Amino acid sequence: HAEVDLSVDHEALHLRVVDNGVGPQAAGKNAGRGIPNMAARAEALGGCFTISARPGGGTEVVWQVPLR
């Protein structure tokens, strides 16, 4: 199961994705380039990116960039 929330306010675009999967640590070396790519794009745009394990399992990804 996954939930995606996308919102925009006067200052930034906010993306939050949560799931009930195995968590970010389980991907290990098979994770691919998606996560590093999201982090690099957020940083290049002056924003931020976080990925964390959720209590009880799953992952939460938050990606935010300022509006220009």
Side-chain angles (χ1 to χ4, degrees):
H1 178 80
E3 295 178 19
V4 178
D5 296 309
L6 179 65
S7 64
V8 177
D9 59 28
H10 294 291
E11 298 177 6
L13 180 138
H14 309 271
L15 173 66
R16 180 175 175 261
V17 181
V18 296
D19 70 25
N20 64 346
V22 296
Q25 67 282 2
K29 62 184 175 184
N30 297 321
R33 293 283 312 141
I35 297 302
N37 191 0
M38 288 180 72
R41 288 173 186 259
E43 183 178 332
L45 294 169
C48 62
F49 171 83
T50 61
I51 183 169
S52 57
R54 296 178 65 206
T59 304
E60 177 180 47
V61 172
V62 176
W63 191 86
Q64 299 178 22
V65 294
L67 299 178
R68 300 190 191 248

